Amino acid sequence: MKEEMKEKMKEKRYRRICWLISSLTLAGVIVFLIGLYYWMIKAGIPYQDPPLELQIKYAVNRGIGETLLGKGFQIAVCGGTARLFLWWMQKRHQKKGQRQAP
């Protein structure tokens, strides 16, 4: 009985951690897409001989876009790597349990 409870708790913990990491990965993708929007749509192609105000606006939007692109990519890659690591550990644990069963 206790073993079943422990296994259920482990499975519940594993599912919660996977959900959390998947949420982190999704957040990274969303930040990346917002950065792409700033970089391509808001900043876009700079004007030819723009006034100083438009130069500043372009530089700010481009800087925001580049920062969000970089951070969003890093967050998504870290979340994806952690998810792959958890998946690998789960497979390894299952194989270990199958070897001990017979």
Side-chain angles (χ1 to χ4, degrees), residues 24-34 72-73 75-76:
L24 180 71
T25 305
L26 180 63
V29 169
I30 290 171
V31 170
F32 180 83
L33 291 175
I34 291 171
F73 181 76
I75 293 169

Side-chain angles (χ1 to χ4, degrees), residues 15-33 68 70-84 86:
R15 297 252 181 244
R16 284 183 180 168
I17 291 171
C18 287
W19 180 81
L20 181 67
I21 291 174
S22 295
S23 299
L24 180 71
T25 305
L26 180 63
V29 169
I30 290 171
V31 170
F32 180 83
L33 291 175
L68 290 175
K71 296 300 178 186
F73 181 76
Q74 289 173 352
I75 293 169
V77 167
C78 288
T81 304
R83 186 74 164 100
L84 283 174
L86 278 177

Side-chain angles (χ1 to χ4, degrees), residues 1-40:
M1 189 77 158
K2 277 190 172 183
E3 287 297 320
E4 288 179 27
M5 291 294 283
K6 284 184 180 180
E7 285 299 317
K8 285 183 182 180
M9 291 298 287
K10 283 183 184 180
E11 184 66 27
K12 201 175 207 181
R13 190 179 318 131
Y14 173 76
R15 297 252 181 244
R16 284 183 180 168
I17 291 171
C18 287
W19 180 81
L20 181 67
I21 291 174
S22 295
S23 299
L24 180 71
T25 305
L26 180 63
V29 169
I30 290 171
V31 170
F32 180 83
L33 291 175
I34 291 171
L36 196 62
Y37 167 76
Y38 262 92
W39 193 58
M40 293 186 74

Side-chain angles (χ1 to χ4, degrees), residues 45-99:
I45 299 171
Y47 294 106
Q48 184 177 0
D49 298 328
L52 184 60
E53 182 181 318
L54 288 178
Q55 285 178 352
I56 293 170
K57 187 176 177 182
Y58 172 77
V60 167
N61 285 332
R62 184 170 167 233
I64 291 171
E66 286 177 356
T67 301
L68 290 175
L69 274 172
K71 296 300 178 186
F73 181 76
Q74 289 173 352
I75 293 169
V77 167
C78 288
T81 304
R83 186 74 164 100
L84 283 174
F85 178 73
L86 278 177
W87 174 78
W88 178 72
M89 290 297 289
Q90 181 73 7
K91 288 290 184 185
R92 190 171 161 209
H93 179 70
Q94 287 175 352
K95 285 182 182 178
K96 186 179 175 183
Q98 288 173 356
R99 277 191 240 144

